Amino acid sequence: MPKAQAKRKRPVTTLPKSVPLPPIHVNGQDKVVIDSKAVPDVPLAKLGRSSADTRRRINRFHTLIKEYSKLAARKPQTSDPEQLQQLDLQCASISQEMAQMGGLDWYQKASLLGQSKQRGGDTSRWLIPKLQGLQLHQRPGKLRLLDVGALSCNYKEKWIDPLPIDLNSQAPGIMQQDFLDIPQANFTGKQKAFERPFDVVCLSLVVNFVGDPVKRGDMLRKAAQLLVPQGYLFLVLPLACVSNSRYMNDERLLEIAKYLGFSQLFSHHTAKLAYYLYQLSRPPMQPTGRIKFSKTLLHKGAKRNNFTIVV
């Protein structure tokens, strides 16, 4: 009998063995900041041999960000020198791994690759037909759209006036701006780009990137504050955030949205993503200082994740 041919092993994508550790800290709002200039440029071709490989590494980066945020949040509450030293060592270990992956620059380029046509496209392709179905492309004047966490300028329709922003701009035309630092919706004109409210705010795959559940809720509240009356919020989450979480599901998310003044117009699940389009149906709920939606166990299961939104 002929010998069975041995299966060819797929080459393993390895990370650089020696990459300088970039400065990394958590600023006053508990956000991880990585100096991407301290690491070498990462060609897109080196980011992943397949979409699954790229996604696996992006998910790992998400996990590291969340772990770092939790550790950093514990530091101000810790007075024991030994415990502080242990927290510092854990933070250093996490930051080293993120540096070896290429830092925030690598993450954004990998996400940009994931938006290419070869990798399935970007989420704007779901939103545009929905806005057209609402006849918003026929209204007088252009639709003001704020695209948060933009990696490229995806909204090029003539009837849309887009403002793409990101913490670490990767392309010309994308404003470097922290979403939570945008002035409140009194629109005093101190920043020209934000002197008027927006018709649409897009939070596509950015809420899940924030490690703090309270900050996730702040992002949804901020979106409501930046919208015109009857404006629209486009939210995209990894499907696992609502389908495989101990603390979140579609029903819980809808309750939070209604509390903040939104009504849900459309929702859609794919194999990997959950899409939502909300309309601001009443003035946004102002902060009361009390937690309305806390981290509440909804589903048990050892294999479920801990994603939640606190408002």
Side-chain angles (χ1 to χ4, degrees), residues 222-270:
K222 171 64 77 171
Q225 294 171 345
L226 296 178
L227 284 170
V228 299
Q230 306 300 312
Y232 301 88
L233 168 62
F234 177 45
L235 175 66
V236 183
L237 296 169
L239 180 61
C241 290
V242 292
S243 68
N244 194 42
S245 170
R246 297 179 181 87
Y247 308 102
M248 181 60 61
N249 54 28
D250 278 329
E251 292 75 16
R252 179 76 165 185
L253 183 60
L254 181 57
E255 289 178 4
I256 292 174
K258 287 181 177 179
Y259 175 74
L260 294 174
F262 292 105
S263 57
Q264 182 173 290
L265 301 182
F266 303 101
S267 67
H268 176 65
H269 289 181
T270 66

Side-chain angles (χ1 to χ4, degrees), residues 167-223:
L167 274 171
N168 185 42
S169 176
Q170 287 288 303
I174 298 178
M175 177 186 291
Q176 189 149 318
Q177 171 68 48
D178 188 328
F179 175 61
L180 291 176
D181 287 344
I182 294 176
Q184 294 294 325
N186 53 14
F187 299 101
T188 58
K190 293 180 179 179
Q191 290 180 271
K192 188 175 181 180
F194 305 110
E195 63 186 2
R196 293 187 292 120
F198 294 88
D199 300 294
V200 183
V201 172
C202 300
L203 298 178
S204 176
L205 298 174
V206 292
V207 172
N208 56 289
F209 187 67
V210 177
D212 185 350
V214 175
K215 290 292 189 295
R216 294 171 188 159
D218 291 343
M219 292 187 74
L220 299 183
R221 192 188 301 276
K222 171 64 77 171

Side-chain angles (χ1 to χ4, degrees), residues 23-127:
I24 178 168
H25 65 278
V26 177
N27 66 17
Q29 293 187 345
D30 295 334
K31 301 189 190 78
V32 174
V33 179
I34 302 173
D35 184 3
S36 58
K37 296 179 180 178
V39 297
D41 188 43
V42 184
L44 284 178
K46 301 293 185 181
L47 292 176
R49 295 181 181 273
S50 68
S51 58
D53 181 45
T54 301
R55 174 53 54 188
R56 175 182 61 80
R57 296 170 67 183
I58 288 175
N59 288 342
R60 177 58 182 165
F61 199 90
H62 280 180
T63 300
L64 293 172
I65 286 285
K66 293 173 185 176
E67 290 178 357
Y68 191 98
S69 297
K70 290 178 181 178
L71 292 170
R74 288 171 53 189
K75 286 185 179 182
Q77 304 170 1
T78 304
S79 57
D80 183 83
E82 291 186 4
Q83 291 183 2
L84 280 172
Q85 184 179 19
Q86 184 63 29
L87 289 173
D88 287 337
L89 289 173
Q90 290 176 290
C91 286
S93 175
I94 292 173
S95 61
Q96 178 65 51
E97 184 174 347
M98 286 192 286
Q100 289 177 333
M101 294 180 71
L104 191 57
D105 183 61
W106 173 88
Y107 166 78
Q108 291 185 309
K109 288 183 177 180
S111 298
L112 186 61
L113 178 64
Q115 287 188 0
S116 67
K117 292 181 180 179
Q118 293 79 9
R119 294 291 176 88
D122 63 88
T123 57
S124 67
R125 297 193 303 175
W126 184 87
L127 176 62

